[in-house]
Amino acid sequence: MASLPKANFAFHERRRDTDHESFLAHKGFRWLKIATALMLVVVVSYFLVDVEPRHNGGSWYGYTLGTIGLLLILWLSLLGVRKRKMTEKYFSLKGWTSAHVYLGLALIVIGTWHTGFQLGWNVHTLAWALMMLVILSGLYGIVVYSVLPRSLSNNRREMTREQMVEGLDALDRQLETAAQPLDRDLSDAVITALDQDAFKAGVIARLTGRYPRCATRKALRAFDGTGGNEAADKVRSLLSRRQAQLEQIRRHMKYKALLEVWLFVHIPATILLIAALTAHVVSVFYYW
Amino acid sequence: MSAAARAAALGMPHILIEKTDHLSDTIYKYQKGKHVMATPSNLVLRSDIDFDAGKREFILDTWDTQIADQSVNVKLNAEVVEITGETGNFTLKLKGGEEIRAEAVVMAIGTQGNPNKLRCPGADLPLIQYQLDDPGEYYDEHITVVGSGDAGIENALGLAADAAQGNVVTILNRSADFARAKKANVALLEEAEKEGRLIVRRETEPAEVRESELVLNTRDGQEAIRCDRIIARTGSQPPRGFVEAVGIEFTSDDRAAFPKLTPSFETTKNGVHVIGALAGYPLIKHCMNQGYDVIEFLNGNTDLKPADEPILAEKFASLPGNRSVEEWLETFRSNIVILQELSPLQMRELMLDSTARAYRKGERIFERNAPGSSMFAIAEGSVSVEVNPNDSSVTVPIEQGSIFGEVGLVSGRRRGATIHAAEDTVCVEFTRGAALKLLATAPSANRAVNRISIERQLLQMFGSGLTSDDVAELVETAEVQDKHAGEVVIKEGADDKDIYIVRRGSMIVEKNLGGHEVFLSYLPAGSYFGEMAVIDGSARTATVKAAIKSEVVRFPGEAFVALLDRKPQIRERALRDMKDRREVNSFIESQKHSFGGAVDLYSKTAQFLVDNGIGEATDVLLIDETLCVGCDNCEKACADSHEGLSRLDREAGRTYAHLHVPTSCRHCEHPHCMADCPPNAIKRGPDGEVFIDDTCIGCGNCQRNCPYGVIRLDAKPPPKPSLLSWLLFGRGPGPGEAPYKWRKKKAEEAGTEQAKLAIKCDMCSGIDGGPACVRACPTGAAIRVAPEKFLTFTKLVQEDAD
Ligand SMILES: Cc1cc2nc3c(=O)[nH]c(=O)nc-3n(C[C@H](O)[C@H](O)[C@H](O)COP(=O)(O)OP(=O)(O)OC[C@H]3O[C@@H](n4cnc5c(N)ncnc54)[C@H](O)[C@@H]3O)c2cc1C
Ligand code: HEM
Ligand code: SF4
Ligand code: SF4
Ligand code: SF4
């Protein structure tokens, strides 16, 4: 039916990243393939290579895996810097994250096979355990990254966080005036609700989105059985809108928190891991 | 003002008549503390009054003292309502009846015009005002705002913002909805109404103004409300009517046209001169220089060279033949067809925004696919066009006086062919802005460019094998048509045979499948459609309608059929080209039972994207909200790669089926933001990006003109400590845009005052890696796409699948 103008798409395609692919699927699962191949090589060679008396970190095979693992860990940690540094040259954080995830998972095999399954209560095993902790938290991370964005988006209903807070403020202003003609105890309930810092709560409340001490809900309950009174009805409907608005914001905070908490394990554990690795490497060479 | 000061210096009898109670009303009305810019910087100021970049207050103060010191004869509060008489003996009638006689008149009344008055009894009462400087000034008043445009809504919201002021604010709207205002403003207004902060009265008009009372015409009859103050924001009347009444002719009927002027600023009404913004020179420096010049001319100093003379002389210095600026201007004007109607003054202005260059025989002027949005005209010599990308020996000549490169102008796209100088040649290159202004002011230039571009588009459409003679008949019968958004151009099943080219805007193609309109594809400007029916004689296979307000060129089918009959080989090739498209159509037809819901969602998503400006975009940022984790790394990266300010707002904007269109520039095919920029600072860059260069004066016109709200005005923040010192020692605000407080504090410490300028996404031009926002997204949620690539069946269905 029609013809498009002959524009130079190749050029633009290179500049803008039109491939609509998630970081997990990046470039047709390139890094998944590479990581799987890497793990296969490690597992297969483990049985092919004959180390006397048995596999351990100190053999040449162990050293090789150890070195690869160490370099990998250092590189994986660099994601934290990469993420925050914009450069002129081409790079894609999506590609980095993709490689990070799959190579990070490959570390389970590389690291564990490096130990030759000799674990004990020492600084070496501490390093291994920390590595596993980082990896497990990372696994949690990709699970939430793939599950939660939809909920975050649905909950937002095209509002920005600022608009949500403004919406709340607007309701508060209306409540303040509407509550004037009410009885003492009812208006007190409203004032308590308005005065409460509705978002101050512990970690648990943040992560679950449940705020048991929410004064707005209590205030709403105080209005049970006040039907028929026009002023009270108005305040009640305002309160329930406030409640709904609060819930939206709290859900927003909950999803954001769930998407971020794991980094509070992932990053500190990474730092500890690097410290432990340093100790591990120093002690190995010291006692050589 | 500058003119009056010159007259005072020369001892000429003069009077400076000013409508308001202060001089320079336009500048007086700038927001408080605005940093006024003194562009263009290469132009020297020639005036008895000083002017340099600085705060509005400082500039106005300087002018007031200097006007007083130089004993300029000023008459304030005097509005001229009529000018009669002939040169040597004019009578200027002032509002109030007073008359002033003059030998010559210099009009420097700007383009603001007069605000529309209320059309009802009592419209002259003092409680009506047409401007609101500081909404915080009024307390405990009943204020009515009349007018439902953005200005009115913003005023009403401002007055009602602080409940402590105790104002009762009412806004009147003649119709039921607020169609003329921005969506965001309407939303704010409706929220304020719901909260009871102000009163909105729809379908209501003022019927009579009385002391402290306003009578309203409502749907249900008349009603009087208490009213201490009326803010009337019902638009303004451009001064053109007044100017024409004096007997001054304009260059054309176009809204953007200016009065016809001689080199000494004289209009077609002898003895009346026009300078400044009204003459088409909106920058303050130009205005002031012209004030000086026009008085010098009147004083008989005819040798005076305009202040731009050295700039032009420098521009022409490299041209062969050692000719003077005037000789060159005359050569260009007489040789180049589209310039023939221009006055020497217009020529000067045009050349300030243009360049002239000499090319040796064989030298390349531009290359196929090179970026460029300027238009060229051949002043001397001729050029040859390589029409076939695979064979550089096939060329078509373009002769002296004609133009080329005009396609870049129409749609801001890359060059379609390589062009060489066929002999030693002198060409003039017009920037896009200058060329568009030319087309708007000179109707003959507009017609000539139209004709040429239609002819060339036709030739391109049929590839090689046709000459301009072959298509002459078609060009003759071509007709440019405007289509409003949603207007159907071709109806499925109809058997008309016309062919169309999209000149401006874009089209969507739809097909009716099982009773539903299914979106088939998207046609950006430059595409053509409707040729299938002509070539194989079938009925229309799909409906084509305008996605946004568009302009199409229509060619009658008969002329086409005649052409194809004459040239069978063209029909052959066209039939071959069509085969693919037929296959896509029949594929979709055959699949219609298997997708059902998916097809529906797909059509709705496409419609959603078109509604959000994708229909006029060339490049748009989308966020897949099934992937976005809300880390805002995209915004941070944008800020870090663009002087510390983010040019995108991720959360804002609309979402449909988890596809989110954030607030970020769409790089429109025909950018609305460019329309009204005094220094012409908004340009289209090499990669098709629309960007704002450093001549921006921060007037905010572009921000108001962009329908997608993507332009912000902000001051460039001071530099941040390095990433390393933040990582290790926590110094500075870290990656991303620094909080406003931090920026303000640092700027104060540094003591550098930065003007608030317009900033927007520049598509990361100059950054090799491409858009930072996209590259910084860890999950692949953020993508930048060209609409014609994204609005396709495969892309969108793939979307729905995941
Ligand atoms: C927000 C904004 C920011 C801008 N920033 C800049 C900047 O930073 N730098 C820059 O160079 N330019 C800037 N401009 C453009 C510039 O201000 C104007 O183009 C310029 O002031 C025009 O000057 P003028 O003398 O032609 O007209 P004006 O300044 O409009 O002066 C015309 C005067 O004539 C009076 N008048 C009108 N009609 C009558 C009548 N019938 N009888 C008597 N008197 C009458 C008016 O009251 C007014 O005082 C900006 C424009 C805007 C809107
Ligand atoms: C020992 C191995 C690993 C190390 C040292 C490591 C280290 C890091 C570091 C330093 C960051 C940067 C966090 C930030 O600054 O925000 C990071 C981010 C991340 N890591 Fe790991 N990681 C490891 C393994 C893994 C594994 C196995 C996974 C997944 C299964 C994973 C998933 C992620 C993800 C999803 C991010 C967040 C990316 C982003 O949002 O920008 N990591 N990791
Ligand atoms: S700023 Fe607005 S009008 Fe200008 S190109 Fe971008 S989206 Fe279009
Ligand atoms: S393309 Fe560049 S300038 Fe535009 S929003 Fe993205 S990062 Fe900012
Ligand atoms: S960088 Fe990507 S994931 Fe993060 S907020 Fe932006 S679009 Fe969402």
Side-chain angles (χ1 to χ4, degrees):
Chain A
M1 194 74 207
S3 294
L4 299 178
K6 297 173 186 66
N8 184 0
F9 284 122
F11 169 83
H12 284 296
E13 236 34 4
R14 228 180 315 122
R15 278 198 98 238
R16 47 163 113 86
D17 187 359
T18 335
D19 7 317
H20 183 188
E21 246 176 357
S22 89
F23 67 108
L24 292 175
H26 180 68
K27 300 264 182 230
F29 294 97
R30 173 192 288 172
W31 290 103
L32 172 61
K33 290 173 192 156
I34 293 177
T36 316
L38 193 63
M39 286 191 278
L40 276 179
V41 169
V42 171
V43 174
V44 170
S45 61
Y46 184 82
F47 293 106
L48 294 184
V49 175
D50 201 12
V51 177
E52 286 301 326
R54 54 163 298 183
H55 274 293
N56 67 66
S59 66
W60 67 265
Y61 179 74
Y63 276 133
T64 315
L65 285 189
T67 315
I68 297 176
L70 178 69
L71 292 177
L72 256 182
I73 287 175
L74 291 179
W75 178 80
L76 291 169
S77 317
L78 282 179
L79 182 69
V81 180
R82 173 79 284 179
K83 186 175 170 182
R84 295 176 175 81
K85 188 151 179 69
M86 277 319 298
T87 48
E88 303 262 303
K89 283 200 298 301
Y90 185 80
F91 84 90
S92 123
L93 193 62
K94 175 166 98 174
W96 271 68
T97 317
S98 187
H100 180 96
V101 166
Y102 291 119
L103 294 180
L105 286 174
L107 264 180
I108 303 180
V109 172
I110 298 172
T112 313
W113 265 246
H114 159 71
T115 65
F117 301 97
Q118 289 182 323
L119 300 171
W121 294 105
N122 52 36
V123 64
H124 316 295
T125 304
L126 174 66
W128 177 85
L130 280 168
M131 182 190 83
M132 292 308 289
L133 179 63
V134 175
I135 295 177
L136 287 178
S137 60
L139 261 175
Y140 164 86
I142 54 165
V143 171
V144 288
Y145 271 29
S146 35
V147 182
L148 288 184
R150 285 161 207 270
S151 317
L152 189 69
S153 164
N154 290 343
N155 180 54
R156 236 171 32 85
R157 293 198 310 268
E158 301 197 334
M159 281 166 99
T160 66
R161 205 181 48 217
E162 225 169 294
Q163 285 166 338
M164 295 180 207
V165 175
E166 272 167 17
L168 189 66
D169 286 347
L171 285 170
D172 287 1
R173 277 196 304 273
Q174 281 170 270
L175 264 173
E176 227 166 307
T177 13
Q180 304 287 349
L182 292 185
D183 294 346
R184 180 66 195 271
D185 48 338
L186 284 183
S187 66
D188 276 352
V190 173
I191 290 168
T192 329
L194 291 183
D195 283 348
Q196 188 190 35
D197 182 346
F199 304 109
K200 209 175 120 219
V203 184
I204 307 285
R206 226 349 146 69
L207 288 175
T208 55
R210 290 206 193 87
Y211 292 69
R213 276 185 297 278
C214 175
T216 306
R217 199 180 36 225
K218 285 204 193 108
L220 252 179
R221 239 180 277 134
F223 278 83
D224 283 347
T226 57
N229 178 338
E230 200 185 318
D233 279 351
K234 183 165 181 209
V235 173
R236 181 161 52 179
S237 99
L238 281 172
L239 271 178
S240 49
R241 277 167 62 197
R242 182 175 205 268
Q243 170 82 359
Q245 183 61 77
L246 275 178
E247 271 163 17
Q248 186 193 19
I249 300 178
R250 285 172 178 159
R251 268 194 309 270
H252 185 80
M253 285 165 60
K254 168 181 139 188
Y255 293 131
K256 289 279 282 192
L258 285 173
L259 281 165
E260 280 164 13
V261 265
W262 63 281
L263 283 172
F264 290 93
V265 176
H266 204 67
I267 300 173
T270 298
I271 296 171
L272 289 180
L273 168 61
I274 292 175
L277 274 177
T278 319
H280 162 67
V281 173
V282 168
S283 66
V284 164
F285 283 94
Y286 190 77
Y287 293 110
W288 205 358
Chain B
M1 180 191 73
S2 177
R6 184 73 258 190
L10 291 173
M12 282 163 94
H14 66 275
I15 180 166
L16 172 57
I17 309 177
E18 166 59 50
K19 176 170 72 171
T20 61
D21 64 357
H22 46 257
L23 294 175
S24 311
D25 191 44
T26 299
I27 299 169
Y28 185 87
K29 280 186 187 154
Y30 289 176
Q31 84 198 56
K32 289 205 176 82
K34 177 184 177 335
H35 182 89
V36 182
M37 316 282 279
T39 40
S41 52
N42 59 353
L43 184 68
V44 290
L45 179 73
R46 191 153 72 182
S47 173
D48 300 285
I49 308 281
D50 290 333
F51 170 59
D52 210 343
K55 270 213 170 33
R56 159 191 173 273
E57 287 72 15
F58 175 77
I59 291 171
L60 290 176
D61 280 350
T62 316
W63 289 355
D64 283 343
T65 23
Q66 293 189 344
I67 288 288
D69 291 350
Q70 300 176 17
S71 356
V72 176
N73 181 15
V74 183
K75 186 172 177 63
L76 295 178
N77 298 314
E79 178 176 354
V80 179
V81 289
E82 195 181 71
I83 301 177
T84 50
E86 293 305 322
T87 177
N89 181 20
F90 286 109
T91 305
L92 283 71
K93 190 141 114 227
L94 302 189
K95 192 167 161 187
E98 198 182 334
E99 291 190 351
I100 292 176
R101 305 176 80 77
E103 286 174 39
V105 179
V106 176
M107 279 176 119
I109 58 172
T111 48
Q112 271 193 45
N114 289 322
N116 287 333
K117 292 252 161 95
L118 295 183
R119 273 182 303 252
C120 64
D124 288 330
L125 286 177
L127 73 157
I128 305 176
Q129 66 189 56
Y130 297 94
Q131 161 106 12
L132 177 69
D133 294 322
D134 180 6
E137 243 176 83
Y138 309 108
Y139 290 92
D140 300 322
E141 290 190 22
H142 285 248
I143 306 178
T144 305
V145 179
V146 185
S148 51
D150 286 312
I153 296 182
E154 279 163 21
N155 284 176
L157 288 172
L159 286 165
D162 188 357
Q165 278 173 245
N167 294 321
V168 178
V169 182
T170 309
I171 179 167
L172 307 186
N173 182 4
R174 204 165 357 142
S175 53
D177 49 8
F178 291 83
R180 283 186 302 127
K182 278 202 211 109
K183 280 206 188 85
N185 271 337
V186 179
L188 285 175
L189 185 72
E190 282 167 353
E191 192 208 284
E193 180 187 15
K194 239 183 262 155
E195 288 163 18
R197 278 188 287 137
L198 50 72
I199 305 161
V200 182
R201 286 175 161 266
R202 295 174 176 78
E203 296 179 68
T204 303
E205 276 181 292
E208 187 184 343
V209 184
R210 299 183 190 146
E211 292 297 338
S212 71
E213 205 178 54
L214 176 64
V215 185
L216 301 174
N217 266 337
T218 68
R219 219 178 34 184
D220 320 311
Q222 287 208 336
E223 184 185 337
I225 59 170
R226 187 178 150 198
C227 177
D228 308 314
R229 186 179 298 279
I230 296 177
I231 317 262
R233 301 308 298 257
T234 47
S236 64
Q237 201 59 49
R240 179 160 178 171
F242 171 62
V243 178
E244 283 180 327
V246 175
I248 296 170
E249 287 171 25
F250 278 66
T251 49
S252 78
D253 284 337
D254 197 283
R255 214 173 51 89
F258 300 108
K260 287 187 190 160
L261 295 178
T262 68
S264 55
F265 304 102
E266 194 160 352
T267 61
T268 52
K269 175 83 183 167
N270 287 346
V272 181
H273 301 71
V274 166
I275 58 169
L278 181 61
Y281 299 83
L283 291 175
I284 298 170
K285 235 191 218 173
H286 284 145
C287 298
M288 296 182 70
N289 285 353
Q290 292 173 352
Y292 181 102
D293 293 355
V294 73
I295 297 299
E296 285 292 322
F297 291 136
L298 276 171
N299 197 33
N301 179 3
T302 44
D303 296 338
L304 179 76
K305 297 264 182 248
D308 53 30
E309 184 82 7
I311 304 179
L312 288 180
E314 198 188 311
K315 269 189 200 256
F316 300 159
S318 64
L319 298 182
N322 244 336
R323 277 172 267 182
S324 72
V325 169
E326 241 132 87
E327 283 166 325
W328 273 118
L329 288 176
E330 186 47 32
T331 313
F332 296 154
R333 201 188 61 76
S334 52
N335 285 3
I336 298 173
V337 181
I338 59 167
L339 301 184
Q340 273 162 7
E341 267 191 6
L342 297 193
S343 70
L345 201 64
Q346 283 174 309
M347 279 299 301
R348 289 199 104 89
E349 197 210 341
L350 182 66
M351 287 312 301
L352 279 179
D353 281 339
S354 312
T355 45
R357 237 201 90 182
Y359 299 88
R360 298 237 139 258
K361 180 173 176 180
E363 197 176 334
R364 193 169 58 211
I365 300 176
F366 60 67
E367 210 173 343
R368 182 186 301 275
N369 284 334
S373 56
S374 55
M375 178 172 87
F376 290 79
I378 309 169
E380 284 175 350
S382 64
V383 301
S384 64
V385 188
E386 285 175 17
V387 280
N388 186 339
N390 305 319
D391 181 359
S392 62
S393 65
V394 187
T395 62
V396 172
I398 299 181
E399 302 302 331
Q400 171 166 321
S402 189
I403 56 163
F404 58 94
E406 76 291 343
V407 187
L409 197 79
V410 176
S411 54
R413 289 186 183 275
R414 293 175 162 259
R415 303 294 189 196
T418 303
I419 294 195
H420 290 277
E423 55 193 298
D424 286 356
T425 301
V426 176
C427 287
V428 182
E429 180 178 0
F430 310 105
T431 60
R432 184 172 188 274
L436 290 180
K437 196 163 166 189
L438 169 70
L439 299 188
T441 47
S444 62
N446 195 14
R447 275 192 303 275
V449 172
N450 254 346
R451 215 195 121 86
I452 294 173
S453 61
I454 289 174
E455 176 187 307
R456 294 200 183 137
Q457 233 157 355
L458 268 176
L459 291 176
Q460 210 174 11
M461 180 165 147
F462 287 100
S464 54
L466 283 187
T467 63
S468 48
D469 291 337
D470 293 331
V471 295
E473 188 194 341
L474 275 177
V475 176
E476 232 25 81
T477 51
E479 180 194 351
V480 179
Q481 297 180 334
D482 283 325
K483 300 283 170 197
H484 60 77
E487 186 172 343
V488 172
V489 184
I490 285 183
K491 181 105 195 103
E492 184 175 351
D495 56 4
D496 57 314
K497 292 281 177 291
D498 299 339
I499 293 189
Y500 297 85
I501 297 182
V502 188
R503 286 233 317 173
R504 203 180 217 289
S506 59
M507 301 284 141
I508 47 186
V509 186
E510 285 179 345
K511 196 167 178 54
N512 193 307
L513 289 183
H516 292 285
E517 291 296 331
V518 172
F519 179 94
L520 276 192
S521 66
Y522 165 86
L523 307 174
S527 329
Y528 58 94
F529 59 93
E531 80 286 13
M532 269 162 135
V534 178
I535 294 166
D536 65 1
S538 57
R540 300 294 194 193
T541 52
T543 296
V544 180
K545 63 184 193 189
I548 51 163
K549 186 171 173 298
S550 307
E551 203 177 277
V552 295
V553 187
R554 171 179 161 270
F555 301 99
E558 304 80 57
F560 243 100
V561 175
L563 175 72
L564 290 182
D565 286 345
R566 261 183 286 132
K567 301 263 172 188
Q569 77 274 25
I570 297 217
R571 182 191 298 264
E572 286 289 297
R573 207 189 38 235
L575 272 173
R576 246 179 294 128
D577 287 352
M578 251 170 44
K579 225 178 106 220
D580 293 351
R581 266 171 265 144
R582 283 253 182 252
E583 273 166 12
V584 173
N585 275 2
S586 55
F587 170 75
I588 290 177
E589 186 91 41
S590 70
Q591 295 286 304
K592 67 179 166 197
H593 302 295
S594 52
F595 3 87
V599 161
D600 205 33
L601 186 63
Y602 157 75
S603 285
K604 285 202 181 120
T605 308
Q607 189 55 47
F608 160 76
L609 289 174
V610 167
D611 286 346
N612 281 281
I614 296 10
E616 56 179 327
T618 60
D619 180 291
V620 60
L621 178 64
L622 297 178
I623 291 182
D624 179 350
E625 289 204 337
T626 61
L627 291 175
C628 173
V629 296
C631 64
D632 279 334
N633 225 34
C634 42
E635 284 188 17
K636 290 179 192 151
C638 182
D640 281 351
S641 48
H642 292 89
E643 309 189 311
L645 293 173
S646 171
R647 281 103 209 275
L648 81 109
D649 185 340
R650 175 184 61 83
E651 279 190 327
R654 308 288 314 274
T655 314
Y656 181 79
H658 294 126
L659 198 58
H660 177 63
V661 188
T663 298
S664 161
C665 179
R666 278 93 161 129
H667 301 279
C668 302
E669 189 85 42
H670 289 277
H672 310 270
C673 52
M674 278 186 193
D676 220 4
C677 172
N680 264 326
I682 307 184
K683 308 215 162 73
R684 194 178 278 279
D687 300 328
E689 76 277 12
V690 175
F691 70 100
I692 306 182
D693 71 16
D694 52 13
T695 61
C696 169
I697 55 175
C699 70
N701 283 353
C702 53
Q703 191 186 33
R704 281 185 289 278
N705 283 337
C706 170
Y708 309 109
V710 308
I711 300 185
R712 60 188 274 203
L713 286 168
D714 224 324
K716 183 177 153 186
K720 292 186 294 190
S722 74
L723 176 65
L724 197 66
S725 67
W726 174 78
L727 271 179
L728 297 181
F729 313 114
R731 282 179 47 209
E737 183 171 310
Y740 178 71
K741 272 205 200 110
W742 186 88
R743 285 186 268 143
K744 192 162 169 189
K745 197 175 117 233
K746 282 286 157 179
E748 273 165 11
E749 276 169 22
T752 46
E753 194 218 339
Q754 289 277 355
K756 281 195 175 167
L757 299 181
I759 55 167
K760 65 180 275 300
C761 163
D762 60 3
M763 230 158 100
C764 283
S765 71
I767 297 179
D768 289 342
C773 47
V774 173
R775 286 189 292 135
C777 176
T779 64
I783 51 176
R784 273 203 165 268
V785 297
E788 60 270 40
K789 289 290 258 186
F790 197 74
L791 282 175
T792 62
F793 205 76
T794 36
K795 282 271 183 200
L796 284 177
V797 169
Q798 161 198 332
E799 196 106 341
D800 303 332
D802 64 36

